[in-house]
Amino acid sequence: MTPPDTEPAGIEVALVSGLSGAGRSTAAKVLEDLGWFVVDNLPPELIATMVDLGARARGDVTRMAVVMDVRSRAFTADLGAVLKDLDARGYKPRLLFLEASDAVLVRRFEQVRRSHPLQGAGRLVDGIAAERELLHPLRESADLVVDTTGVSVPQLRTQLERAFGSESAQRTHVTLVSFGYKYGLPMDADLVVDVRFLPNPFWIPELRNLTGRDVPVRDYVLSQDGAHEFVDRYLELLGLIGAGYRREGKRYLTLAVGCTGGKHRSVAISEEIARRLGEAEDDGAGVAVNVTHRDLGRE
């Protein structure tokens, strides 16, 4: 066990709670996407043990979140003790509390046709009222209270990313995949662009056995009419799409660039787009870039 008054190295702890139907499951998914190790409905008496195990994982677990609800017996009393215990051990946990208006909670429960965990044989509104009263002390001690009334899932994601996301986790991760149409489209592509409008270096004898990674092929492809204009306009389009994806909570974008064989034009254009996006990354634009050439070497 971690001795009191010492600072455990390399681990952040968050506890997620709140009213049933207010968005705990969504919050858990967002935290997982942000790189947190998330445990759902762990008994309060096991939380400190789990955090200690995470702290001993030698960097494999650096951010741990535990999602708690009223299904645990003696919920408020046990969780209050856990918070004090974790604080004494030096973990300094953050408590996120999610809530919503009664009308919204009723509508959400009716949409999924589920009973409230505290409803029993009574009405849905009685269960909501009982839970709200039970969790009131916990809400008062929360570090962050989020009211999800009228908040969409993307908006909730954005709020939680600001509060719990690292800079790298909030970046848009763009993967550029060059490919040859003769081998079929990449199955996981979000966007596909065809660069067969450019002259094919295959028909230039001294370029035929080279690839789009080689300087002579790259220079030939990028010197063609429309090549630079195409890259410029497409980067502008990616900027608009990427901004929209971020608003919708999508952080991963796979862009496929195709030519006939996936050897010359698609490779050169993919490398150029990746280079330009990499420059944007260096300028702090919040983009991480990876490039792969699916069909390079197949012919």
Side-chain angles (χ1 to χ4, degrees):
M1 289 174 43
T2 306
D5 301 324
T6 62
E7 184 70 25
I11 186 168
E12 295 180 63
V13 181
L15 301 179
V16 181
S17 189
L19 300 174
S20 300
R24 288 193 310 265
S25 296
T26 298
K29 292 176 182 177
V30 172
L31 290 173
E32 284 184 342
D33 291 342
L34 293 174
W36 289 72
F37 180 81
V38 179
V39 183
D40 192 6
N41 203 36
L42 187 71
E45 61 269 18
L46 297 181
I47 293 177
T49 300
M50 178 65 72
V51 172
D52 279 340
L53 290 173
R56 297 170 187 167
R58 298 180 179 179
D60 292 335
V61 178
T62 59
R63 315 180 93 189
M64 179 177 291
V66 180
V67 183
M68 300 294 302
D69 62 36
V70 293
R71 288 174 290 174
S72 298
R73 295 180 178 178
F75 172 76
T76 53
D78 287 355
L79 192 54
V82 168
L83 287 169
K84 291 181 180 179
D85 185 26
L86 290 174
D87 191 66
R89 293 167 184 246
Y91 291 110
K92 311 300 180 187
R94 286 188 287 168
L95 176 58
L96 167 65
F97 190 92
L98 298 158
E99 64 180 6
S101 69
D102 287 0
V104 166
L105 294 176
V106 168
R107 185 171 68 249
R108 290 174 183 173
F109 273 100
E110 289 179 342
Q111 287 174 343
V112 298
R113 298 185 178 181
R114 294 181 59 189
S115 62
H116 190 279
L118 296 184
Q119 181 176 347
R123 300 168 59 203
L124 175 56
V125 291
D126 296 331
I128 294 173
E131 185 180 37
R132 196 180 292 278
E133 181 179 358
L134 178 66
L135 297 183
H136 180 72
L138 197 61
R139 183 193 186 282
E140 293 299 307
S141 61
D143 297 286
L144 175 63
V145 177
V146 176
D147 188 339
T148 63
T149 302
V151 175
S152 66
V153 171
Q155 289 171 335
L156 177 58
R157 173 180 287 273
T158 298
Q159 290 188 47
L160 297 181
E161 285 177 346
R162 290 172 179 167
F164 294 96
S166 63
E167 181 179 348
S168 61
Q170 296 183 51
R171 289 180 177 177
T172 298
H173 296 262
V174 178
T175 299
L176 284 146
V177 181
S178 72
F179 73 96
Y181 276 95
K182 65 192 293 184
Y183 303 114
L185 293 171
M187 294 181 60
D188 60 343
D190 296 300
L191 301 171
V192 178
V193 59
D194 186 350
V195 296
R196 289 177 294 183
F197 70 92
L198 296 170
N200 193 347
F202 179 83
W203 303 113
I204 310 296
E206 59 268 28
L207 301 180
R208 178 173 301 174
N209 295 324
L210 301 177
T211 76
R213 283 177 163 175
D214 295 310
V215 173
V217 173
R218 181 198 66 195
D219 291 346
Y220 174 83
V221 171
L222 295 177
S223 68
Q224 301 304 309
D225 289 342
H228 277 292
E229 289 82 0
F230 168 79
V231 173
D232 290 341
R233 300 299 180 270
Y234 202 72
L235 285 169
E236 292 177 7
L237 178 61
L238 286 179
L240 293 173
I241 294 173
Y245 274 12
R246 284 191 294 274
R247 287 193 296 270
E248 293 300 310
K250 183 176 176 62
R251 291 284 182 254
Y252 294 88
L253 172 64
T254 299
L255 168 63
V257 181
C259 63
T260 303
K263 180 179 180 180
H264 297 111
R265 293 166 290 179
S266 62
V267 173
I269 293 297
S270 295
E271 292 283 349
E272 178 64 12
I273 293 175
R275 183 187 69 81
R276 296 276 295 276
L277 287 174
E279 291 177 351
E281 179 184 3
D282 293 338
D283 292 337
V287 178
V289 186
N290 178 50
V291 61
T292 184
H293 304 297
R294 190 193 71 177
D295 299 324
L296 201 58
R298 295 186 67 167
E299 60 174 43

